Amino acid sequence: MSRWRKALGWLRPLAGAAVLLGLASCAMVQVEARKPDDYVGQVRGDVLTTGALSQAGLETLRVSGLEPKQCLRALQACASQLEAVNGVSAERRMATLAEMWTGQALTHMPERGQTPDQVALDAWLRAARYAYAYLFFTERMPGERAFENRQTQVRDYYNYAAEQVGAGLFQRGELEGAPDGTAGAVQIGQWSVRTDMQDFRLPGGIARPDALVPAGMLRFSGLLSIYRRDGFGAELVARVPPGQVGDPSATGQGPLRPRSQQTPAYNEIPYAPATVLLDFQGQDLGTVLASRQVVLHPYDPYRVEQVSLNGQRVPLAGNFTAAYGLWLAQSGFARQSLRSMLGRENGIERPHLYLMQRYDPDRRIVLMLHGLGSSPEAWVNVANEIMGDQLLRQEYQIWQVYYPTNVPIAINRAQIQALVEQTLQHFDPQATARASREMTLIGHSMGGVIGRLLVSSSGDGLWNRFVAGRELDAARRQRVRERLKPLLNFSPLPQVDRAIFIAAPMRGTALAGSRLGRFLGRLVRLPVTMLARFGDVLQDLAGHDGAAAGKPGVPNAIDNLRDTDPFIRATAELPVAPGVRYHTIIARRDPQVPLEQSDDGLVPYRSAHLDGAESEKVITSWHSVQETPQAILEIRRILHAQLASDQPRP
């Protein structure tokens, strides 16, 4: 007996130590160093970026006594339990519920080209509602959490859910617009979704788009930057049905067809940026969570920068590149512009004007003219960088002229001036809007030559020079006068007060008269309608270069660009109108060559230089200098300087 007592005596301390060790192991904490590349993943990774719940979401479930894996298997029951937990802040609960329903919706994403089912839309609506509740109906307002990673994550859940709901309802054919800008409610299970279009207008005033594309799904090549504004809402691109806004495209995806006499000479591009919000009805957290009433609001991010939600002003998200890039990518301009220059079938025969955004009477106009054999694609990065600059975006709107580059310069100049004046007359008949004055003209290459003539006055000098020494009888002189004097006697476009000429052969180029230039010139065909209208009188005045070959001696645009061409020589020294400030951007391909003897491969410096220019920027580049970052920065500098020189406006 004594031996057992001794043994037990030894065991008692051991048993006590085991109990202590067991108690200690329940609260044991271990630590290990975190690698630098793990930091961002742990503090910012979430269901959208990694496919797994974020660290914040996992912690919220654990402190609520919920097992994450079981929650994901029975989400509805888990969500009900988490909503009922009292010891966890509403912020943590709403954020975690938004993330969990986002993960649930992701598991029901349809295959490409298929429409989302009701289960997926229900999950997206739940995710958006919890995110909305977190942002606007919990203890703190969004501004108080401005630097918190969790708020950025929850905003992303809301924005992505709004994108999926908006695009999904459109795919299902359930976003039919009404004339008053509203649409009847759509039932998605227990949800009632109503569309309110009163703050959004599609190009041309069309009631319903024929495509609605999430901007985040688009990847572009050929663009220097993608310009966005971070904020609240889903970034989408709306496309209107081809041909319904005066667009000369046949399908919106293939080559453009020739514009008929009935087609309007100007139109908005058929793609528009749209930012979509889902507004959940309710006045407090409880009523928002209980509500199944949702209003879908699309906004124009160019016109709306902030929205008011539950008394809070929040920035509206926006994508200012996607719509423009999608239009150019599907335009077919590259092929058609070459056909137009050569005068082949399916080219254009008259200028057309594209408005990059909805007309705004309070924004100045930047009017862009491309060069020979080119199209609006020549301005892809210039226009994108202007629209991407917040101040310039607020103060300017872009108009781009697309014109047939085979037609003689004098005819293009007259038709473009008439087109711009016609468009301004349509939008502002009384000419009182800011957009009807203080216009900035930017022209590249031959577009720069036409642009300078648009801000110059010819007086009677050109007309007198062209008829001098020609022995014409009275009838023929009268016919020539009626046809040609409007082309040779012109006044400047009065709306323009600033111009930028880029690599423009103001005095022509010897290359146009070289063997290669003459060869290309012989390939060019002029429009039959133009020949019928001007052929006889132009032949009288153009000499007999083509008469021996049995062809009318009508100069085309390449002929006009020769440094020996009578028209280019006669117009080279026309003065720019008083009051118009002008700038030049000139390219030279070899900086080792003295500036006066340099050229850009096509245009010599002495032809592009203009005395009296307010500034001259010389850039080492090939002829397409307008696409270089240096040229774009110079254009932006000039536009900013123009704004800085304005008198303060109320």
Side-chain angles (χ1 to χ4, degrees), residues 154-445:
V154 175
R155 183 205 63 188
D156 289 343
Y157 306 150
Y158 175 90
N159 289 354
Y160 196 64
E163 174 187 289
Q164 296 302 310
V165 171
L169 291 178
F170 174 82
Q171 282 184 283
R172 292 163 61 100
E174 295 173 334
L175 289 182
E176 295 291 345
D180 63 351
T182 63
V186 175
Q187 292 299 133
I188 304 294
Q190 298 179 338
W191 297 92
S192 177
V193 183
R194 179 173 61 85
T195 303
D196 184 350
M197 297 269 294
Q198 295 184 70
D199 295 308
F200 185 74
R201 173 189 169 279
L202 287 166
I206 305 301
R208 185 179 186 273
D210 74 336
L212 199 61
V213 183
M217 291 175 56
L218 302 173
R219 296 291 181 270
F220 297 101
S221 60
L223 287 166
L224 295 176
S225 303
I226 303 297
Y227 282 102
R228 298 179 52 257
R229 180 174 63 217
D230 278 332
F232 199 56
E235 302 160 21
L236 299 166
V237 176
R239 187 185 76 180
V240 301
Q244 293 193 21
V245 291
D247 182 23
S249 64
T251 65
Q253 298 178 345
L256 305 182
R257 66 168 179 257
R259 186 163 52 82
S260 69
Q261 296 293 330
Q262 290 73 36
T263 306
Y266 52 85
N267 63 273
E268 301 168 54
I269 65 172
Y271 294 82
T275 302
V276 170
L277 300 186
L278 296 175
D279 188 359
F280 294 87
Q281 306 302 287
Q283 301 301 317
D284 54 39
L285 182 61
T287 56
V288 168
L289 295 181
S291 175
R292 298 293 189 273
Q293 304 293 317
V294 189
V295 180
L296 187 149
H297 285 285
Y299 292 91
D300 180 350
Y302 280 108
R303 291 173 172 263
V304 181
E305 296 187 1
Q306 293 184 329
V307 290
S308 181
L309 295 168
N310 192 37
Q312 297 292 307
R313 298 292 293 175
V314 295
L316 187 74
N319 189 308
F320 304 102
T321 296
Y324 177 56
L326 191 57
W327 172 60
L328 288 177
Q330 299 188 351
S331 67
F333 281 136
R335 178 178 297 179
Q336 191 193 43
S337 60
L338 180 59
R339 300 187 70 86
S340 297
M341 184 188 75
L342 297 177
R344 298 304 190 264
E345 187 180 1
N346 291 325
I348 61 170
E349 296 186 357
R350 293 183 297 150
H352 193 90
L353 184 60
Y354 286 103
L355 282 64
M356 297 297 102
Q357 306 93 26
R358 177 183 175 186
Y359 171 76
D360 188 332
D362 297 322
R363 283 181 168 92
R364 287 177 165 178
I365 294 170
V366 175
L367 183 69
M368 297 180 172
L369 292 93
H370 59 77
L372 180 70
S374 191
S375 73
E377 283 189 312
W379 301 114
V380 52
N381 281 302
V382 178
N384 185 50
E385 294 294 318
I386 292 174
M387 291 187 288
D389 185 305
Q390 182 177 355
L391 179 58
L392 299 183
R393 183 170 66 240
Q394 293 170 343
E395 298 290 336
Y396 291 97
Q397 57 192 319
I398 295 176
W399 290 10
Q400 293 188 4
V401 177
Y402 181 34
Y403 65 96
T405 58
N406 59 334
V407 173
I409 287 174
I411 295 176
N412 265 326
R413 188 218 63 80
Q415 290 185 337
I416 290 171
Q417 179 159 351
L419 172 60
V420 173
E421 291 177 338
Q422 175 190 359
T423 308
L424 289 170
Q425 172 68 20
H426 169 77
F427 287 113
D428 184 24
Q430 305 302 318
T432 57
R434 189 185 187 210
S436 294
R437 57 186 186 276
E438 302 173 336
M439 182 186 294
T440 298
L441 184 152
I442 306 178
H444 172 249
S445 192

Side-chain angles (χ1 to χ4, degrees), residues 104-169:
Q104 178 76 358
L106 289 170
T107 65
H108 292 276
M109 289 282 283
E111 297 292 330
R112 183 183 296 272
Q114 296 183 356
T115 59
D117 59 22
Q118 183 172 302
V119 173
L121 289 174
D122 175 79
W124 286 122
L125 286 165
R126 290 174 184 269
R129 184 187 60 181
Y130 283 119
Y132 186 85
Y134 163 91
L135 290 165
F136 303 110
F137 291 94
T138 53
E139 294 89 344
R140 295 181 295 164
M141 289 294 100
E144 299 176 79
R145 300 181 293 241
F147 295 101
E148 296 183 12
N149 288 325
R150 192 55 166 162
Q151 175 159 281
T152 301
Q153 291 174 330
V154 175
R155 183 205 63 188
D156 289 343
Y157 306 150
Y158 175 90
N159 289 354
Y160 196 64
E163 174 187 289
Q164 296 302 310
V165 171
L169 291 178

Side-chain angles (χ1 to χ4, degrees), residues 581-603:
R581 298 181 175 183
Y582 56 98
H583 310 256
T584 58
I585 297 176
I586 300 174
R588 62 168 172 175
R589 54 179 174 169
D590 187 354
Q592 304 302 317
V593 175
L595 185 60
E596 293 290 338
Q597 285 79 50
S598 67
D599 62 66
D600 62 15
L602 294 177
V603 178

Side-chain angles (χ1 to χ4, degrees), residues 480-592:
V480 170
R481 183 182 183 88
E482 290 176 356
R483 303 279 187 84
L484 293 189
K485 192 165 185 182
L487 304 180
L488 302 177
N489 190 326
F490 49 82
S491 299
L493 194 61
Q495 294 83 6
V496 177
D497 71 349
R498 191 173 296 261
I500 305 172
F501 307 121
I502 306 173
M506 302 300 186
R507 299 168 185 82
T509 171
L511 187 62
S514 67
R515 179 178 298 178
L516 176 61
R518 292 194 303 272
F519 172 74
L520 291 175
R522 287 194 294 270
L523 296 178
V524 172
R525 300 174 186 169
L526 293 172
V528 174
T529 54
M530 194 208 80
L531 290 175
R533 182 180 178 190
F534 297 107
D536 54 348
V537 295
L538 285 177
Q539 184 170 350
D540 289 336
L541 299 177
H544 303 283
D545 293 343
K551 299 178 182 178
V554 180
N556 57 49
I558 295 179
D559 297 328
N560 281 161
L561 292 178
R562 297 176 184 173
D563 56 6
T564 58
D565 178 71
F567 181 81
I568 201 75
R569 296 181 69 176
T571 59
E573 304 305 326
L574 288 180
V576 174
V580 176
R581 298 181 175 183
Y582 56 98
H583 310 256
T584 58
I585 297 176
I586 300 174
R588 62 168 172 175
R589 54 179 174 169
D590 187 354
Q592 304 302 317

Side-chain angles (χ1 to χ4, degrees), residues 588-637:
R588 62 168 172 175
R589 54 179 174 169
D590 187 354
Q592 304 302 317
V593 175
L595 185 60
E596 293 290 338
Q597 285 79 50
S598 67
D599 62 66
D600 62 15
L602 294 177
V603 178
Y605 169 82
R606 62 181 178 274
S607 183
H609 170 78
L610 283 180
D611 291 333
E614 192 166 287
S615 67
E616 177 179 276
K617 179 75 171 180
V618 179
I619 298 170
T620 301
S621 169
W622 173 250
H623 181 64
S624 297
V625 64
Q626 84 283 1
E627 283 290 279
T628 65
Q630 296 91 335
I632 294 171
L633 288 171
E634 175 68 1
I635 293 169
R636 290 173 60 181
R637 181 196 70 78

